[in-house]
Amino acid sequence: LVSLRRFFRMLEKEGLPVQPGVVDKLETMGFRHRRRLPITLDEEEVRAFLEVVDNPRDRAILYVMLFMGLRISEVVALNVDDIREGDEGLVIKGKGDKQRYVPIHPQVHRAVAAYRRVRPSQVIADRLGVPLFVSRLRRRVDPSTVRRFIKQYGMKAQKLKAQKARQLSPHKFRHTFATLLLQGQVDIRYIQELLGHEHLSTTQIYTRVARTDLEAAIARHRLSDLV
């Protein structure tokens, strides 16, 4: 908007007519910024990341994000009875108390079962209940703890570029969940429901990621060397 003001002032100095009120009208207009593509891990990078995760609790938390797409606030809010053997899914209360059903992938069940075998006993309950994921103090794990260990594992994963490793966060794994589903030909409306997005336009950012994959595939066409 500032640049446009300067442009119109320049026109006026050159003696070119500028319709009165045009700048005021610009101020009332909404300018839609182009959204950046979310940072995600591809399949090979996810495998490389998980190879360095040696803590059962951390691994279970990562599996919940990678196979269920939960927000970090939803992950740490899980209670001990939310993911039980035999459960096919659970109801998550997300933003604005909006509820959604999310299936529990068998990989999540295996990871949580492995964590339960080493999980501290006599965990301290809080206002949300008895937490599933706990710290060494036997209290509900804090989001900052998850953010910290994601950074630490990211720097250890050799196949991850240093710049991407530094930018890793719990939300990047939520992005990765959505992108991997889309690459697996899952309908975007199902992804919208799994993520708990109110509007489909919020989910459609991931279709741009898929387009970049398509462009890369075309670039590898066997006839690319034609002259």
Side-chain angles (χ1 to χ4, degrees):
L1 185 59
V2 174
S3 298
L4 286 172
R5 283 180 176 276
R6 291 173 181 170
F7 175 71
F8 286 124
R9 281 201 297 267
M10 182 184 71
L11 291 179
E12 290 174 340
K13 288 180 181 179
E14 294 294 329
L16 299 174
V18 177
Q19 187 176 354
V22 67
V23 176
D24 293 334
K25 185 177 290 187
L26 285 170
E27 290 181 341
T28 62
M29 292 173 62
F31 290 89
R32 190 172 183 177
H33 296 283
R34 185 177 180 182
R35 298 180 67 182
R36 293 183 178 180
L37 290 176
I39 295 172
T40 64
L41 301 180
D42 60 30
E43 182 179 344
E44 183 179 357
E45 289 172 330
V46 170
R47 294 181 186 277
F49 186 95
L50 292 176
E51 283 179 1
V52 301
V53 181
D54 53 4
N55 182 296
R57 182 204 65 184
D58 299 350
R59 194 174 187 86
I61 288 175
L62 290 166
Y63 271 56
V64 168
M65 291 190 286
L66 283 168
F67 286 94
M68 298 178 70
L70 302 193
R71 300 178 177 92
I72 181 58
S73 58
E74 297 165 347
V75 174
V76 300
L78 289 173
N79 286 327
V80 69
D81 291 330
D82 285 336
I83 300 180
R84 297 170 298 183
E85 184 178 358
D87 287 350
E88 295 184 353
L90 73 158
V91 176
I92 295 292
K93 183 180 288 187
K95 288 185 177 180
D97 290 335
K98 181 182 177 182
Q99 293 186 338
R100 71 185 189 279
Y101 174 81
V102 182
I104 303 174
H105 195 281
Q107 291 280 15
V108 173
H109 274 303
R110 283 191 281 270
V112 170
Y115 167 58
R116 285 181 184 276
R117 290 193 286 269
V118 298
R119 179 177 174 272
S121 58
Q122 299 179 342
V123 170
I124 300 174
D126 56 24
R127 61 182 181 82
L128 297 178
V130 180
L132 173 59
F133 300 118
V134 297
S135 67
R136 285 176 294 181
L137 298 178
R138 302 182 183 184
R139 299 180 183 275
R140 189 176 300 273
V141 70
D142 189 84
S144 62
T145 300
V146 181
R147 295 189 186 96
R148 184 168 57 252
F149 74 61
I150 283 177
K151 294 279 189 184
Q152 292 171 344
Y153 290 130
M155 298 307 294
K156 290 181 181 179
Q158 295 181 355
K159 292 184 180 179
L160 280 185
K161 293 181 179 180
Q163 182 178 2
K164 179 176 282 192
R166 286 193 296 268
Q167 294 176 309
L168 283 182
S169 67
H171 208 66
K172 301 299 187 299
F173 282 87
R174 181 169 155 88
H175 290 323
T176 298
F177 163 81
T179 303
L180 291 176
L181 285 184
L182 194 65
Q183 291 171 339
Q185 307 301 312
V186 175
D187 191 298
I188 192 171
R189 291 169 297 179
Y190 297 160
I191 299 175
Q192 175 193 7
E193 185 66 26
L194 289 169
L195 292 175
H197 287 165
E198 185 174 357
H199 303 291
L200 184 61
S201 59
T202 308
T203 315
Q204 285 175 332
I205 182 69
Y206 299 109
T207 63
R208 291 171 57 194
V209 178
R211 290 190 191 110
T212 60
D213 295 333
L214 293 176
E215 291 166 0
I218 290 296
R220 295 194 297 270
H221 197 290
R222 300 280 294 183
L223 298 176
S224 296
D225 59 348
L226 281 179
V227 292

